[in-house]
Amino acid sequence: MISKKISHNLANSSMIRAMFEEGEELRKIYGADKVYDFSLGNPDPEPPVEVKSALRELAGSGELKMHAYMNNAGYPEVRETIAKKINSETGLNLSFNNVVMTVGAGGALNVVLKTLLNPGEEVIVFAPFFVEYTSYIDNHGGKTVVINTDFKTFLPDPELLRTKITPNTKAIIINTPNNPTGVVYSRDTLNSIAKVLEDKSKEYGDTIYLISDEPYRKLAYDAEVPNILTIYKNAIMIDCFSKSLSLPGERMGYIATNPDAEDINTLMNGFIYCNRVLGFVNAPALFQKVIAKSINSTVDMNIYKERRDLLYNSLTEFGYECVKPDGAFYLFPKSLIPDDVEFKNRALKYNLIIVPGSGFGTPGYFRLAYCVSLETIKNSLPAFEALAKEFRK
Amino acid sequence: MISKKISHNLANSSMIRAMFEEGEELRKIYGADKVYDFSLGNPDPEPPVEVKSALRELAGSGELKMHAYMNNAGYPEVRETIAKKINSETGLNLSFNNVVMTVGAGGALNVVLKTLLNPGEEVIVFAPFFVEYTSYIDNHGGKTVVINTDFKTFLPDPELLRTKITPNTKAIIINTPNNPTGVVYSRDTLNSIAKVLEDKSKEYGDTIYLISDEPYRKLAYDAEVPNILTIYKNAIMIDCFSKSLSLPGERMGYIATNPDAEDINTLMNGFIYCNRVLGFVNAPALFQKVIAKSINSTVDMNIYKERRDLLYNSLTEFGYECVKPDGAFYLFPKSLIPDDVEFKNRALKYNLIIVPGSGFGTPGYFRLAYCVSLETIKNSLPAFEALAKEFRK
């Protein structure tokens, strides 16, 4: 008999699994090109040519020890490359000692939370939030405290944050550009959040960390994505190459800190130690070198912009209410009925696979991942229109 | 301020870190070729040619979506390849549903322990044991129960195991071929262990799982390494390609089960769920395909046999007491003084870097990882001899 908690979670997570199975069924019946699957954040564009050629070059290089263990933190030269890239963008002065390579952003979040949390300490997240945060926090004995954003803008209210912080608050997690809303926090918003954390850290005499989960930092349309390390000294930046280089399956991410953060050596040693004892050991060897060689490339944002514009403009024209995303590749429109799970089921009848907002802590909405082909979006539009008409009758 | 527990662990793990730093210092002073570093299980032989050509072929293939997300359990065709390989060796009837690809064996162990453990449940390990087991068990709220082996043979006593099992015992972890001793458990030993677990599972009315951690299963010298799935129905086999294909940095492993295990679907779904929520998400994409193409290859055991024979024969000749290893690439000789940490320090004066047995739950011994070049072993022998003479005076 497995763990009672996992057994319980499996029963409860069966809804999402059932959704994928329904999608598979639809594809079998109607053919894959007649099913419009907006469920998964799995980038459709191929990795940039720089990535592919770096991989070919390394694979053919005959370099020895290319797949061996290295320092648990990752190759020093790869960490140095990332530190320099951040320095060139921010004017900060990171060294390789401020960077730990990780098994994706998911791995990084687990490493950071294990390093920080004492049993029962609270971590604040803003709804709607990435569905795994609550599991990650729970993995390491923490307690998730959810604060709703303003559902007109999906922006957090720093003064509401102030009222929710207790002596038991260890950290907050922000995610900008945001999954599932595509919203980007402005410099002003970030400054206000930082001010609250500074005040409260001082009031309670212990650091409240700002964990900034940024898989989409390079995926912004015109909007500025300020570097969090320049805004709050005790910020922990988490980035990955899953979306910016279309490499989600390769699990490449990193943690970066400001050299002026409190107890910086203990903090970094904690990350390296937890990377090891959580069983990650180190980020995958070869792809560390691939991404170091591709550090200046990124996926072509025009690809995503065209898709966003087509989908956003069409949906709002059909009568869906939706905040226009400034980044990432998600739309988070309002469900046309309050019950978003029922709405997901109604959408299925039009071969539209969408994810209910409940999964992101925000019922009454649904998420569309538009990292699918332009063709799929075009072909899906009559279905979205028919679905809307059904509820406007 | 980071977690109190991690802060405490960092302070206590500083001995091993200090050891590596001392090694670095020695290399700076004497040159790398004058320092004999037997500390790390980082294979010296390159991966087999099949691995290198599979990697080149895939990197140059232009295959689309090669780095995308797949099922959290891994590519079905890669899992099927592994299932068939096990079937051909055992006559069992595994399908891809019995295999989950993981981020190395360390990732697999964490996934399995999270899936199984309720808070406070006990996991039995046999000393000497791989140093990370206690951390892995603790990560998921478990309690480690250590049982010593017979230090003349480093084999576990099944009847002693019987007396240590309580209603709170969830699993035992075995590791054969063993790190740090190189000992391989015979079929008889494994059958006796299985019998104890069957009896006790029946007595307490709940399954006691046998977790078999087998990174070295292909690294055996003549000794048979029986497949655990043929011996105990509720065994969970963990294997990886870090040592057999010299790929430790790429983090490729898997979990395999017997299709007849109890509640097999719940068990596998638990593994897949925990793989995701622990932040691994999936095993690295490209190398899943590399290892599937290289499934029949393995590192040349003659390389390791020559090293084992030279080191074992020389050390015993110099007066070290040591069980001759039947597998893996470790020797675990008796320290020449009871204080193994002091002995490690004395060895350092001869530029010999060894790991005290205390790190493996067995003070009074030391571990040598002989996955280093034959040249290093040859050059180190006068140092081992001089060290032995110092204590025979």
Side-chain angles (χ1 to χ4, degrees), chain A residues 148-198:
Chain A
N148 284 334
T149 52
D150 174 348
F151 291 166
K152 293 242 178 310
T153 60
F154 295 123
L155 287 170
D157 174 357
E159 290 314 308
L160 181 59
L161 169 66
R162 187 184 296 273
T163 67
K164 299 282 187 175
I165 292 175
T166 76
N168 213 21
T169 305
K170 190 50 160 278
I172 74 165
I173 300 180
I174 63 169
N175 171 222
T176 165
N178 182 267
N179 173 6
T181 65
V183 161
V184 176
Y185 296 2
S186 70
R187 188 174 286 275
D188 278 356
T189 298
L190 294 171
N191 278 332
S192 302
I193 291 173
K195 180 71 169 63
V196 170
L197 298 183
E198 278 156 16

Side-chain angles (χ1 to χ4, degrees), chain B residues 15-35:
Chain B
M15 189 191 77
I16 291 183
R17 203 162 347 110
M19 204 176 81
F20 288 116
E21 279 164 22
E22 286 165 342
E24 279 302 307
E25 275 307 298
L26 289 180
R27 278 184 278 270
K28 272 183 208 153
I29 299 171
Y30 299 100
D33 61 324
K34 298 283 188 303
V35 177

Side-chain angles (χ1 to χ4, degrees), chain A residues 238-258:
Chain A
I238 291 174
D239 191 5
C240 70
F241 302 91
S242 298
K243 318 295 177 170
S244 62
L245 298 179
S246 291
L247 292 173
E250 302 299 353
R251 317 303 304 126
M252 288 304 313
Y254 67 86
I255 305 166
T257 56
N258 188 319

Side-chain angles (χ1 to χ4, degrees), chain B residues 23 63-64 66 68 86 110 140 160 170 173 181 192 213 225 228 247 250 300 315 321 345:
Chain B
E63 186 184 325
L64 299 180
M66 197 163 51
I86 294 173
N110 276 280
H140 310 292
L160 181 59
K170 189 50 160 278
I173 301 180
T181 66
S192 304
D213 177 32
V225 180
I228 198 69
L247 293 173
E250 303 299 353
D300 178 0
L315 288 191
E321 277 178 57
N345 290 333

